Amino acid sequence: MRETDTETDASGRPLRPRAVELDRFFRPAAVAVIGASDTPGRPNTGITRQLRAWSERVGARMYPVNPGRDEVDGLPCYPDLAAIPADPDADPIDLAVILLADPAAVVPQLIEAKVKYAVAFASGFAETGESGREAQRHLERLVTEAPTGLRLLGPNTNLNAFERFRDDLTGPAIALITQSGHQGRPLFTLQELGIRLSHWAPTGNEADLEVADFVQWFADQPEIGAIAAYIEGIKDGRAFLLAADHAARRGVPVVAVKVGRTDEGARMAQSHTGKLTGADDVVDAAFRQFGVIRVDGLDELQDTAALLARAKAPRAPGVVVYSISGGTGAHLADMASAAGLTLPRLSEAKQDELHQWIPEYLSVANPIDNGGHPVGDWRGRKILDAILDDPDVGVLICPITGPFPPMSDKLARDLVEVAETTDKLVCVIWGSPVGTEAAYRETLLGSSRVAVFRTFGNCVRAVAAYLEHHAFAGGYRSPFDDAPREPCAGKAKAQRLLHEGEKLSEFAAKQLLRCYGIRVPREQLVTSAAGAVRAAGVVGYPVVLKGSAPGVAHKTELGLVKVGLTSASQVREAFRELTENARAGGIPRLDGVLVCQMVEAGVEMVVGVTDDPVFGPVVTVGMGGVFVEVLRDTTVLVPPFGPADVRRALDRLRCRPLLDGVRGLPPMDVDALVEVVLRVQRMALDLGDQLTELDINPLVVLERGKGVVALDALAVCR
């Protein structure tokens, strides 16, 4: 049976990743190839020979298994695993590679032989439809229930794990994870540019081993400087978050392409791997909270992963653009500023120093334009040393838009030499479309210290990711450490309010909020005009009257809200109008009319809970009231999260200045808003098996020190 960690949060979900050990997968002592062949022209023959070559490279014995052969390429071949001679001095079979159409048929053999790992190449599983999904579920059950702890890669995977990696490259390596083997090819060829790769995990359909398992294990390997992933779908959202958290704790960057930003991409990913892609804004939020760097293209994936794997932590956040052309420098500076990079203006003293070697009429404030000629002689190195000596500079970017020997050759050499003398990041953009020039192929790519790019965009995005990663890692605190282990005291009372399949009325939904200490207005639910008048006297004028019925949204449009009532006669008339409007709007019966306290003006926000099929309950916060559907200014948080995560989420909203106070308005109670979002998270985790949706809108944020008030709420039960 699969071993799991028993430490859980208040919702019963794990707080630590499941144990995974993959040393013997990548470096087994012995390998069995089930379905081995040496028949010319057969696919299994090529696979068998590749596995034999790989086994020799990693020092493993290989056992061909095929009942139709006595030997394969000169090696003894056995009819099944049990027939392999028992030898106490022989290495155990750590890995079995299954070259059969039905891998499930040999799982009993694997269990009997106590094989640790298996790889299933066969397709025709979850990617093909319901019958394939059932076949995959059957295979998954067999492996998961194996008493020996068998682990399976695949099905629908390939040979990428057994590629020949270059062993002449040094420095921190990139580990690669792909759910489509072909999508990893561009990164594999990074070795030709001098970038070291150490592992490749093609996870396929993930009946057992998944992306999260490899992220977790790779993060613990000392030679790995970054993890690059191509992801079509996330099998288990919680497992992925735990693995990303583990990498963040270790300071190992994870860079990922995640397809499914569009409906078309999501459909293709579904057909390819048979997994849910997940709502894209939720994926963005999960990646952002746990430090996974999301990129859009394979070229960005390779450039960003290569930079993060090899570059040391920045000494300063400032970026300087240095070029031989004012136009080139201005273009790159625009792109860098638009990407959020900080381009500090160099001090007057530093500019005077640079003007010793650069003509006075050229700008050296940042970007720095040297005019061209200084790079061709002794001045070029002096300029570079002076720039990197500035304490505000952490990154130097030098775009070389095309080869112009001998100046470009001298500039490239100076950049490589100065990079060896500093722990600051030196980036070069080699813009030539040819890429065969010696200055590029030999000088720049021959350096392990210079980060080399071919496009402005990839360089800017990679540098932004580099700075963001180190800023994130430097202050990272795992939200799993602070996740509540016990449910809220109000959980039991809240559960009694929830009934299967029901939509709660506003009154009942507010009772739910009260269970979690979320403030609502003073109010009473009444069923008569006389009761409304009495309630208004208790609540205190002015009051608001609202029709309350299960699942009724947009009450204003239905004429079910009357505000600013200041007298008994107005309350009686409003009660009559509300009941008539309810009948006219197709609501046969109100469960009552709410007589509510009028709340002073503030900023209207929305806080809600929805159920994501991959990550479970997620929390949305943003601009509320009538603007929620018009402006769509919202952001998502994926539990678990802490106060700092909520504040960062609020900072991403376009409406954020309203909370700080604009045009003479006072600042609002952001601390109280953060606390409500955290309380909603507790509710979502406590009631996740009963509550499928919650919508608090508007949640009015009052002046600083006065708190927040939930004016309306809807809730939907499972």
Side-chain angles (χ1 to χ4, degrees):
M1 297 288 264
R2 188 73 70 244
E3 191 175 311
T4 57
D5 198 301
T6 57
E7 188 179 6
T8 60
D9 65 11
S11 67
R13 298 201 291 175
L15 287 168
R16 297 290 178 264
R18 67 181 183 180
V20 58
E21 177 50 65
L22 295 169
D23 290 80
R24 286 298 186 181
F25 176 87
F26 287 106
R27 299 196 69 86
V31 180
V33 181
I34 302 173
S37 173
D38 57 5
T39 301
R42 292 286 304 277
N44 282 10
T45 300
I47 296 173
T48 301
R49 289 171 178 167
Q50 181 171 339
L51 289 166
R52 182 176 183 178
W54 175 77
S55 298
E56 291 172 354
R57 289 197 300 274
V58 299
R61 293 170 58 86
M62 193 184 94
Y63 297 99
V65 176
N66 190 327
R69 285 172 169 73
D70 294 327
E71 67 173 47
V72 170
D73 279 339
L75 293 177
C77 187
Y78 304 94
D80 53 36
L81 291 175
I84 297 174
D87 183 347
D89 297 325
D91 295 320
I93 298 174
D94 296 307
L95 175 65
V97 180
I98 306 167
L99 308 184
L100 306 177
D102 182 14
V106 299
V107 170
Q109 283 189 51
L110 305 178
I111 295 171
E112 182 67 25
K114 298 181 180 179
V115 173
K116 294 182 176 68
Y117 307 99
V119 179
F121 292 142
S123 58
F125 288 88
E127 77 278 7
T128 62
E130 184 52 42
S131 62
R133 284 191 287 272
E134 179 51 42
Q136 184 165 313
R137 285 192 289 266
H138 172 63
L139 177 62
E140 183 175 351
R141 285 193 296 271
L142 290 175
V143 173
T144 302
E145 295 171 3
T148 55
L150 173 68
R151 304 306 304 265
L152 175 74
L153 179 70
N156 193 26
T157 186
N158 50 51
L159 281 162
N160 296 142
F162 313 113
E163 298 278 359
R164 178 189 289 273
F165 296 95
R166 284 180 56 173
D167 57 10
D168 61 331
L169 301 175
T170 59
I174 295 173
L176 180 58
I177 306 170
T178 59
Q179 291 175 336
S180 171
H182 194 71
Q183 294 295 82
R185 285 289 158 199
L187 277 87
F188 186 72
T189 57
L190 278 174
Q191 295 174 105
E192 300 308 307
L193 303 180
I195 308 297
R196 182 182 169 207
L197 263 72
S198 59
H199 302 79
W200 189 346
T203 60
N205 280 19
E206 300 185 354
D208 177 30
L209 288 170
E210 57 188 287
V211 167
D213 295 312
F214 290 99
V215 168
Q216 178 190 336
W217 189 79
F218 286 154
D220 286 331
Q221 307 314 304
E223 73 271 28
I224 292 175
I227 301 166
Y230 171 83
I231 303 172
E232 294 180 346
I234 295 172
K235 177 183 178 183
D236 182 331
R238 185 66 163 205
F240 183 86
L241 296 184
L242 288 165
D245 172 70
H246 183 71
R249 291 174 192 255
R250 302 279 296 177
V252 177
V254 180
V255 188
V257 169
K258 168 62 177 70
V259 300
R261 285 196 186 275
T262 65
D263 292 342
E264 291 76 12
R267 282 195 297 272
M268 187 63 185
Q270 175 81 1
S271 65
H272 189 193
T273 62
K275 289 185 290 294
L276 292 165
T277 56
D280 198 64
D281 56 346
V282 177
V283 171
D284 267 343
F287 281 18
R288 185 169 50 238
Q289 286 174 222
F290 290 88
V292 178
I293 300 153
R294 188 173 186 181
V295 295
D296 285 327
L298 298 178
D299 58 331
E300 288 183 62
L301 181 63
Q302 64 189 34
D303 281 348
T304 303
L307 175 61
L308 285 166
R310 300 170 72 179
K312 296 180 180 179
R315 293 276 301 276
V319 176
V320 163
V321 175
Y322 172 61
S323 72
I324 65 168
S325 162
T328 300
H331 181 195
L332 183 57
D334 277 348
M335 294 180 67
S337 295
L341 298 180
T342 300
L343 274 68
R345 181 180 177 85
L346 301 185
S347 68
E348 293 300 326
K350 179 60 66 175
Q351 293 185 54
D352 289 343
E353 182 183 2
L354 292 172
H355 276 309
Q356 295 179 77
W357 312 294
I358 297 174
E360 286 286 342
Y361 62 85
L362 295 174
S363 173
V364 294
N366 190 15
I368 299 169
D369 173 14
N370 66 31
H373 295 294
V375 305
D377 56 37
W378 60 272
R379 293 174 292 174
R381 178 60 190 274
K382 291 282 190 181
I383 294 168
L384 293 172
D385 285 331
I387 294 170
L388 291 170
D389 186 56
D390 191 308
D392 293 331
V393 174
V395 181
L396 169 67
I397 304 179
C398 180
I400 304 175
T401 53
F404 45 100
M407 283 197 296
S408 58
D409 296 356
K410 175 69 165 57
L411 176 56
R413 287 195 301 272
D414 284 347
L415 287 162
V416 168
E417 289 173 5
V418 79
E420 294 292 337
T421 69
T422 180
D423 54 2
K424 296 183 178 182
L425 177 60
V426 176
C427 299
V428 178
I429 305 166
W430 187 261
S432 167
V434 178
T436 58
E437 301 85 357
Y440 170 64
R441 298 293 302 182
E442 298 171 17
T443 304
L444 293 174
L445 294 183
S447 170
S448 63
R449 301 282 296 143
V450 173
V452 185
F453 300 87
R454 298 302 302 277
T455 68
F456 283 23
N458 277 16
C459 177
V460 166
R461 287 187 288 270
V463 169
Y466 158 75
L467 294 171
E468 289 168 6
H469 164 73
H470 285 286
F472 173 88
Y476 183 70
R477 177 178 176 82
S478 172
F480 288 104
D481 289 344
D482 299 325
R485 271 59 171 178
E486 300 296 332
C488 177
K491 177 180 177 180
K493 184 177 180 181
Q495 287 178 314
R496 291 193 291 271
L497 296 170
L498 303 175
H499 303 286
E500 184 177 352
E502 281 191 1
K503 295 181 178 180
L504 271 62
S505 67
E506 177 183 340
F507 180 72
K510 285 179 174 176
Q511 296 295 101
L512 189 67
L513 300 186
R514 284 193 177 99
C515 294
Y516 283 82
I518 298 172
R519 177 183 167 193
V520 300
R522 296 190 304 274
E523 59 185 28
Q524 290 188 14
L525 183 68
V526 300
T527 56
S528 67
V533 172
R534 287 193 297 273
V538 173
V539 168
Y541 288 103
V543 296
V544 178
L545 263 61
K546 295 193 280 187
S548 179
V552 176
H554 305 298
K555 288 188 282 289
T556 301
E557 288 90 329
L558 294 173
L560 296 181
V561 179
K562 299 292 181 181
V563 301
L565 307 177
T566 58
S567 67
S569 60
Q570 288 180 343
V571 169
R572 280 191 291 269
E573 179 61 21
F575 185 93
R576 182 189 63 78
E577 289 185 19
L578 290 181
T579 53
E580 290 179 355
N581 290 344
R583 286 192 293 271
I587 303 170
R589 188 180 68 83
L590 296 173
D591 60 4
V593 169
L594 278 173
V595 181
C596 309
Q597 166 197 11
M598 277 280 289
V599 175
E600 61 185 284
V603 175
E604 293 188 348
M605 302 291 288
V606 60
V607 178
V609 175
T610 54
D611 190 41
D612 183 79
V614 174
F615 292 99
V618 297
V619 177
T620 299
V621 60
M623 190 70 179
V626 298
F627 297 109
V628 66
E629 294 175 355
V630 176
L631 299 181
R632 298 185 181 276
D633 184 18
T634 59
T635 189
V636 177
L637 289 152
V638 179
F641 54 80
D645 296 304
V646 180
R647 292 182 186 278
R648 284 190 290 267
L650 295 175
D651 288 343
R652 289 190 296 273
L653 297 173
R654 298 192 304 276
C655 69
R656 182 66 174 86
L658 295 176
L659 296 171
D660 296 329
V662 293
R663 293 186 176 274
L665 295 176
M668 300 296 154
D669 202 334
V670 174
D671 291 345
L673 174 58
V674 170
E675 179 60 29
V676 165
V677 175
L678 294 172
R679 290 173 183 267
V680 169
Q681 175 186 212
R682 288 297 308 273
M683 185 190 306
L685 294 176
D686 282 354
L687 307 176
D689 57 347
Q690 291 178 273
L691 184 69
T692 187
E693 186 177 341
L694 175 71
D695 184 27
I696 307 173
N697 184 28
L699 177 73
V700 176
V701 185
L702 304 175
E703 291 181 29
R704 184 179 294 164
K706 294 186 176 181
V708 298
V709 186
L711 297 191
D712 200 351
L714 290 173
V716 180
C717 307
R718 291 190 186 278

